[in-house]
Amino acid sequence: MNINLLIKLSNNCYWEPKTQAVIYDNHPVPLTSNMTTLLTLLIEHYDRPISSIDIFFHIWDDYDKEFNPKHIRSLISNLRKRLPCLIINNYYGGHYVLKKFRDNIPDITDYVLEILDQAKNGLTISDPNQPDNPVIFVNEAFTDLFGYTSEEVIGRNCRFLQGEDRDQTGLDEVREALSKQRDVTVTLRNYTKSGELIFNELTISPIFDKKNNKIKYFLGVQKNVTAVQKLIQQIKRMI
């Protein structure tokens, strides 16, 4: 068996893409045609949610057949029983995810905050499940950039960095992205504690709860692009 041509699903469990066969402990595992189609689809969407309806139309292409999520749940259950080595997560709203197997992942849970604190760009984490989406974490790069202590920031919405400079098109993009729970990158005019103007290239990404796919946090990354913006303005004045 040529391991290099296989996809590892778990320890001692492999998927052979060419024959669409599962090999466990060097022995093939028999699957029904529907199980094979389902597993192929899940592998193609590794680590990404796929809806029950999409699964239905891939497996039952007879459009006269009425969609019933029970058929999908039953098929998922049977596949899990046949291959208990698979990690298939159920997400809220009838979505399923096959988690990709990764070798030798270190447990960094206890060091996550230290890692974030040592990042070069400013980082914030806010909680949209609290009133006004307050900041619950800032790293040292953020406090160094804006001059505020973490105690002065945590518990507040980051809009205070705009001061009175609220007429910015990027703010509309941020509000829309937050409401639609999607990524966004904009450049904003922000102000330090001392009042200094900083052009902040802000990227916001939603963080979802893996158990129910509901929004849990927003991660903000702040990059100081003031020097670049000033250079652009100088060039415009010269033209």
Side-chain angles (χ1 to χ4, degrees):
M1 180 175 64
N2 189 344
I3 298 295
N4 294 326
L5 299 179
L6 305 180
I7 295 174
K8 191 168 186 177
L9 302 177
S10 68
N11 284 325
N12 301 322
C13 186
Y14 297 86
W15 168 257
E16 208 292 305
K18 187 174 182 180
T19 62
Q20 294 188 323
V22 176
I23 311 298
Y24 185 70
D25 282 340
N26 293 321
H27 296 289
V29 178
L31 300 177
T32 66
S33 60
N34 284 351
M35 287 181 186
T36 300
T37 303
L38 172 61
L39 184 55
T40 302
L41 192 61
L42 290 172
I43 290 174
E44 289 175 351
H45 290 77
Y46 253 146
D47 289 333
R48 291 179 291 143
I50 181 168
S51 70
S52 298
I53 294 177
D54 285 337
I55 294 173
F56 175 82
F57 284 123
H58 274 84
I59 295 176
W60 291 282
D61 55 3
D62 182 357
Y63 289 91
D64 293 331
K65 186 178 180 68
E66 183 179 356
F67 168 71
N68 189 333
K70 289 183 179 179
H71 296 317
I72 307 301
R73 291 196 296 267
S74 177
L75 184 58
I76 292 281
S77 176
N78 291 334
L79 181 61
R80 283 170 168 156
K81 291 176 182 176
R82 191 69 59 88
L83 292 170
C85 57
L86 297 181
I87 302 176
I88 303 176
N89 291 344
N90 293 35
Y91 281 6
Y92 177 80
H95 287 71
Y96 299 90
V97 174
L98 175 63
K99 303 306 293 181
K100 193 169 186 177
F101 180 82
R102 295 177 174 88
D103 286 304
N104 302 322
I105 299 179
D107 184 5
I108 62 172
T109 305
D110 295 336
Y111 304 97
V112 168
L113 293 182
E114 287 186 32
I115 293 170
L116 295 179
D117 246 347
Q118 295 181 39
K120 300 302 181 184
N121 290 326
L123 295 176
T124 58
I125 298 175
S126 65
D127 185 353
N129 297 299
Q130 294 188 42
D132 205 26
N133 188 25
V135 173
I136 61 173
F137 170 83
V138 295
N139 70 345
E140 289 185 8
F142 179 95
T143 59
D144 290 344
L145 177 60
F146 291 103
Y148 291 95
T149 66
S150 59
E151 291 78 11
E152 291 174 308
V153 178
I154 290 175
R156 304 172 67 181
N157 186 289
C158 258
R159 73 171 68 88
F160 77 90
L161 293 175
Q162 302 152 23
E164 299 300 321
D165 193 356
R166 303 296 176 87
D167 187 17
Q168 304 186 45
T169 56
L171 295 178
D172 293 330
E173 296 180 51
V174 169
R175 283 189 283 267
E176 181 180 6
L178 293 178
S179 66
K180 294 183 177 180
Q181 299 177 4
R182 59 175 175 79
D183 295 279
V184 65
T185 298
V186 296
T187 299
L188 299 177
R189 296 185 300 274
N190 285 165
Y191 297 86
T192 67
K193 186 177 180 178
S194 64
E196 178 186 354
L197 170 64
I198 286 182
F199 286 92
N200 174 20
E201 184 182 271
L202 171 65
T203 297
I204 300 176
S205 300
I207 307 297
F208 296 98
D209 190 322
K210 291 184 178 180
K211 295 180 181 178
N212 55 30
N213 208 31
K214 292 184 177 180
I215 186 69
K216 194 171 181 69
Y217 303 115
F218 281 110
L219 173 66
V221 181
Q222 294 83 18
K223 182 179 180 182
N224 186 358
V225 293
T226 304
V228 175
Q229 288 297 320
K230 288 183 176 179
L231 179 60
I232 292 174
Q233 292 173 6
Q234 290 177 5
I235 293 174
K236 286 182 177 179
R237 287 195 294 267
M238 293 170 60
I239 295 176

